[in-house]
Amino acid sequence: MKWKFLSITFLIVFYNSFAQNKSDFAEIKWGNTQKVRKGIMVKNVVGKDQKDLFILKSNTPIYNSSDIVLRGRYRYQLARYDHGLKLKKQAQIEPNVNGERADYEGIVQLDDKLILLSSFEDPATRNLTLAAQQIDKNTLLTDKSYKKLSVIKQEGFSWKEGFFNYILSKDSSKLFVYYKLPRKNKENDAFGMHVFDTNLNELWHEEVTLPYNEKMFYVKDLLVDNDGNAHVLGRLYKEKDLLGQVKTRRKGDANYHYRIISFYQRGKVMDDNQIEVEDHFLNDMQIRTDKAMNIICSGFYSNEGSRNIKGAYYLRINSKTKETDISSFQDFSTELLSEGASDREKRKLERKEEKGKDEELESFDIDKMILKDDGGVILVAEKYYSSTYTVSNGNGGYSTRTTYHFNDILVVSLNSDGTVAWSKLIEKKQSGLTYSSYSVAAIEDRLYILYNENEKNLNRDKDDTYVTLYGWKKWNATLTEIDSQGNMKAEVLFNCKEAGTINIPTLSEQISPNEIIIYNYRKKKGTVAKLTFKQKSNKNKSSTSP
């Protein structure tokens, strides 16, 4: 049955007397509380102008542990707020091309235009088309006319299909569209790329067939710079096991290496760069381009396992020579490795040290790499893992439960020569999906980490016992500030009980050099708020780039 959109005229709006702002870091501006229907809540800011903010709402899950995309299951709405966070207009997004339903791919802002991206399949040929349609910023309605951006030829592939992905350049002047081509068994991997300007004029288009099987190459990240040069970061596996699957390690050694496939001069020049390292297991990598268009690669490495980390690395690929001219690997200090560790983890580290084995941190994933103005980087990671339990239900049956853990946050600042400037560990212990984890914003030369915490744990001595985050009434939306020297201070932003709502950190987004939109939710009621950070520096330009 077709889902009918509830007009904004009938939207029930709730007013709340929110808690007093307790932080000296930022001022908080609360919007009105609105009822959340059918699980459709704020997801991200998709555009803004001098008058309004444009916010996407959806019932897509906050975390999705599956790679399966159930396109028809999800619903999307576009909302227009003024900068005082008053809801002005809301409309359902129902992608439609030539009178036929299409699948939602995303919304991007190019100059002052909002563009809806959707895909549809030709029933005769199975070819998949990516379409672009402009959204009227006043009515929030989508134009019926569309522009065809890309086509994936799928005729002859009965069960395999391609897909689209896209990313904007840092200044939002270029749209990079990537598409995966379907391949038959034992065929070499292949993909294609388009780069468009803000008027959706195609600057260049290339298709590439790689010299290895598609099951051996995994695309990890895409990057397009402000000049339209595109980079594809991938992980190339060396061997399969007896079942035809790839694994991160084989016979104790890394079973993969990273490759960066770069396209310059509007796609005319291709450079396939293998990241060569010795005696190190690179468990993750992210890439950025600096002002000189050098490629900066950074992440964590290990000598044990794919999710353990022993230290941080920094590599720079020179834009002119295409060679790696800086390569640095820095082990973490013993103090950092033991900081925030449980008694059990400390005993484990001690046993490793006694046996002469490497001490490493476990289960950390990089979430963000922030490029500094001087060419250095800041890596932000979180300790994430899941635990599964099987319990008896008392009737001879069993049930399985999985708990997701979001613990300590690791922040590492690297200089432009790859040396470690400082490293900090923010201890926290959280479980569950909705209110756990964190977000990070770069404001001037400082970082701000937003997460939920018990106030007793803020700025505590290392020897003090950590107070478990239990019972939402004792939760606080918390900001931890880290300055350019690594000095750290935490403050309560607001108390969840007093506010009557709980912050969802992962749905926060930086919208300007000193503003963040945050989203808060409890008992089917959601509230948008804006944080405006106070200026501390006389600099005209931030020293970090989010």
Side-chain angles (χ1 to χ4, degrees), residues 312 332-333 336 370 372 377-380 410-415 419-426 445-447 449 481-488 544:
F332 291 138
S333 66
L336 179 67
I370 300 171
K372 298 189 287 187
V377 299
I378 297 176
L379 302 174
V380 188
L410 176 63
V411 185
V412 181
S413 177
L414 300 175
N415 297 315
T419 57
V420 174
W422 49 261
S423 56
K424 293 293 178 180
L425 194 73
I426 301 173
D445 59 349
R446 308 177 304 281
L447 293 183
I449 315 289
E481 178 190 73
I482 308 178
D483 68 17
S484 59
Q485 304 302 311
N487 300 309
M488 191 163 62
T544 55

Side-chain angles (χ1 to χ4, degrees), residues 118-130:
S118 63
S119 60
F120 62 93
E121 187 175 287
D122 185 321
T125 64
R126 292 198 70 243
N127 290 345
L128 191 64
T129 297
L130 181 68

Side-chain angles (χ1 to χ4, degrees), residues 360-405:
E360 299 191 351
L361 296 173
E362 297 181 352
S363 305
F364 275 88
D365 291 329
I366 296 179
D367 296 310
K368 196 160 188 176
M369 171 179 163
I370 300 171
L371 182 66
K372 298 189 287 187
D373 278 353
D374 63 1
V377 299
I378 297 176
L379 302 174
V380 188
E382 184 176 38
K383 186 173 185 176
Y384 165 78
Y385 63 95
S386 61
S387 53
T388 301
Y389 306 91
T390 301
V391 297
S392 172
N393 59 18
N395 297 318
Y398 295 89
S399 61
T400 300
R401 301 176 183 176
T402 300
T403 301
Y404 298 91
H405 304 271

Side-chain angles (χ1 to χ4, degrees), residues 300-358:
F300 297 137
Y301 65 90
S302 167
N303 291 337
E304 291 188 355
S306 62
R307 296 193 66 211
N308 290 353
I309 56 176
K310 179 178 176 59
Y313 67 89
Y314 177 100
L315 307 171
R316 189 179 74 178
I317 301 174
N318 189 284
S319 60
K320 296 179 180 179
T321 66
K322 306 298 185 295
E323 299 290 336
T324 301
D325 58 7
I326 296 179
S327 177
S328 174
F329 291 79
Q330 301 281 310
D331 289 355
F332 291 138
S333 66
T334 303
E335 292 76 16
L336 179 67
L337 292 170
S338 60
E339 186 177 351
S342 65
D343 291 338
R344 176 178 173 275
E345 290 170 333
K346 288 179 180 179
R347 289 194 297 270
K348 187 175 181 180
L349 289 172
E350 290 172 357
R351 288 196 297 269
K352 282 187 174 182
E353 186 177 7
E354 291 172 357
K355 295 179 180 179
K357 294 184 177 181
D358 291 327

Side-chain angles (χ1 to χ4, degrees), residues 368 380 409 436-441 448-451 479 503-509 516-518:
K368 196 160 188 176
V380 188
I409 301 168
S436 297
S437 199
Y438 71 101
S439 65
V440 60
Y448 288 94
I449 315 289
L450 174 66
Y451 57 101
L479 283 172
N503 180 246
I504 303 180
T506 55
L507 298 184
S508 304
E509 185 167 353
I516 300 175
I517 294 295
I518 67 173

Side-chain angles (χ1 to χ4, degrees), residues 167 176 178 191 193-195 204 217 219-234 259-265 269-273 287-290 292-297 317-319 322:
I167 191 170
F176 176 25
Y178 166 94
F191 61 83
M193 299 150 294
H194 306 262
V195 173
W204 60 270
F217 188 72
V219 174
K220 187 180 181 301
D221 201 6
L222 304 172
L223 179 66
V224 60
D225 63 33
N226 297 341
D227 292 335
N229 301 311
H231 310 277
V232 178
L233 171 64
R259 302 191 81 93
I260 301 175
I261 306 175
S262 300
F263 299 85
Y264 301 96
Q265 299 179 24
V269 176
M270 185 181 104
D271 180 59
D272 188 354
N273 198 312
I287 59 174
R288 298 289 185 272
T289 52
D290 63 15
M293 296 301 140
N294 302 312
I295 302 175
I296 308 298
C297 315
I317 301 174
N318 189 284
S319 60
K322 306 298 185 295

